[in-house]
């Protein structure tokens, strides 16, 4: 996965791995850790949450955890409730 010029690895954690609750942005290793046993909705929101953390760190935003949670929930709800508009945004950014 890429954010800007930065390559970011996604690493899946097994049941016995206790590095995080659901997910974690590891800026030192430039990777997102995700639990493998999450439901599809929990996985998607957790990935979105950790991507927001990564953007915050990579672009010097220094967002607080509470702000990341609000953005995760708000963007997650927008994506879920407006799939055709989200696709229009993706198509527009990709120049299609």
């Amino acid at each position: 996965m890429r954010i800007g010029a930065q390559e970011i690895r996604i690493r899946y954690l097994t049941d016995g791995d206790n590095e995080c609750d659901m997910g974690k942005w590891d800026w030192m290793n430039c990777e997102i850790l995700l639990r493998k046993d999450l439901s599809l909705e929990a996985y998607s929101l957790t990935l979105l949450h950790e991507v927001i953390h990564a953007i915050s760190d990579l672009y010097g935003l220094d967002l607080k955890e509470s702000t990341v949670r609000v953005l995760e929930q708000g963007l997650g709800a927008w994506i879920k409730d407006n799939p055709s508009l989200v696709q229009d945004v993706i198509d527009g950014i990709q120049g299609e």
Side-chain angles (χ1 to χ4, degrees):
M1 177 179 79
R2 295 189 71 77
I3 296 178
Q6 188 65 53
E7 187 70 32
I8 296 169
R9 190 174 86 162
I10 296 177
R11 183 162 56 102
Y12 297 97
L13 303 174
T14 60
D15 292 338
D17 215 335
N18 293 320
E19 289 189 55
C20 63
D21 290 328
M22 295 175 73
K24 178 182 176 183
W25 160 241
D26 180 352
W27 67 273
M28 292 288 289
N29 295 309
C30 227
E31 67 181 5
I32 291 175
L33 311 175
L34 291 171
R35 297 216 53 84
K36 199 172 191 172
D37 56 349
L38 298 174
S39 69
L40 182 57
E41 182 177 15
Y43 167 84
S44 300
L45 288 172
T46 302
L47 178 57
L48 179 59
H49 181 99
E50 301 310 330
V51 165
I52 294 167
H53 274 300
I55 291 169
S56 176
D57 286 348
L58 293 170
Y59 291 94
L61 298 176
D62 196 29
L63 297 178
K64 295 179 182 177
E65 181 65 24
S66 60
T67 303
V68 172
R69 285 187 187 143
V70 167
L71 288 169
E72 167 213 324
Q73 290 298 310
L75 287 169
W78 180 74
I79 291 165
K80 182 177 181 179
D81 295 342
N82 302 283
S84 63
L85 186 56
V86 171
Q87 189 60 56
D88 289 346
V89 171
I90 293 168
D91 291 346
I93 290 170
Q94 293 178 341
E96 295 177 10

